[in-house]
């Protein structure tokens, strides 16, 4: 287990590098759905922020699950991996969406167009674990 508020420098660097992750949500029938996402982790707040379109399977799963749905986010690259578990909330406000888009741009070096169908999604990370090779 990692201290989600005080990450080792290797773990922090790994989470800040340009890697994507798999977000796993729970379908209404109890099955799992995994999809590729970009995210930004803030260790001060122990929150991961990502952007979701207001359509598609992962969004529909979260809508059905309601507030604070349980999710798993896993970033893998080479022999290193970090898993974040927690609850996710969605926010479609202009302010939240704008902040999430800017965080994404800073981490991934890409601008994603502001689209009112996008949602800022924040994961309150409860548990974090994995293995990160030394750099």
């Amino acid at each position: 287990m990692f201290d989600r508020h005080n990450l080792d420098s290797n773990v922090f660097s790994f989470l800040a590098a340009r890697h994507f992750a798999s977000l796993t949500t729970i379908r209404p029938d109890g099955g799992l759905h995994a999809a590729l996402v970009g995210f930004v982790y803030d260790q001060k707040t122990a929150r991961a922020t990502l952007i979701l379109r207001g359509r598609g399977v992962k969004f529909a799963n979260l809508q059905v699950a309601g507030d604070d749905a349980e999710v798993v986010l896993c970033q893998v690259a080479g022999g290193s991996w970090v898993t974040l578990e927690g609850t996710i909330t969605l926010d479609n406000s202009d302010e939240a969406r704008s902040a999430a888009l800017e965080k994404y741009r800073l981490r991934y070096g890409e601008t994603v167009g502001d689209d009112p169908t996008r949602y800022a999604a924040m994961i309150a990370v409860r548990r974090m674990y994995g293995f990160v090779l030394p750099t």
Side-chain angles (χ1 to χ4, degrees):
M1 294 279 268
F2 299 135
D3 177 347
R4 58 191 192 201
H5 292 287
N6 187 26
L7 297 173
D8 169 276
S9 61
N10 280 332
V11 175
F12 182 79
S13 294
F14 180 68
L15 288 174
R18 193 180 188 284
H19 302 300
F20 291 94
S22 174
L23 175 69
T24 302
T25 58
I26 302 171
R27 291 186 181 108
D29 68 2
L32 301 175
H33 175 263
L36 187 68
V37 296
F39 74 99
V40 176
Y41 183 72
D42 180 343
Q43 73 176 327
K44 288 180 190 172
T45 61
R47 289 190 179 274
T49 301
L50 51 142
I51 305 160
L52 299 178
R53 287 195 185 274
R55 59 181 185 270
V57 175
K58 63 184 169 277
F59 182 78
N61 292 344
L62 294 172
Q63 288 294 100
V64 169
D67 291 339
D68 297 321
E70 295 287 329
V71 295
V72 175
L73 187 65
C74 186
Q75 176 176 298
V76 179
S80 297
W81 60 276
V82 173
T83 296
L84 299 84
E85 296 179 4
T87 55
I88 192 167
T89 55
L90 302 174
D91 188 338
N92 185 252
S93 71
D94 291 342
E95 181 180 296
R97 191 173 56 250
S98 213
L101 289 167
E102 179 61 11
K103 287 177 184 182
Y104 184 94
R105 184 190 67 75
L106 291 172
R107 179 173 183 194
Y108 293 99
E110 299 173 14
T111 301
V112 176
D114 189 9
D115 174 345
T117 68
R118 292 185 196 274
Y119 283 71
M122 286 73 61
I123 301 170
V125 177
R126 181 180 58 257
R127 186 178 327 173
M128 183 186 294
Y129 50 92
F131 176 77
V132 177
L133 293 167
T135 53

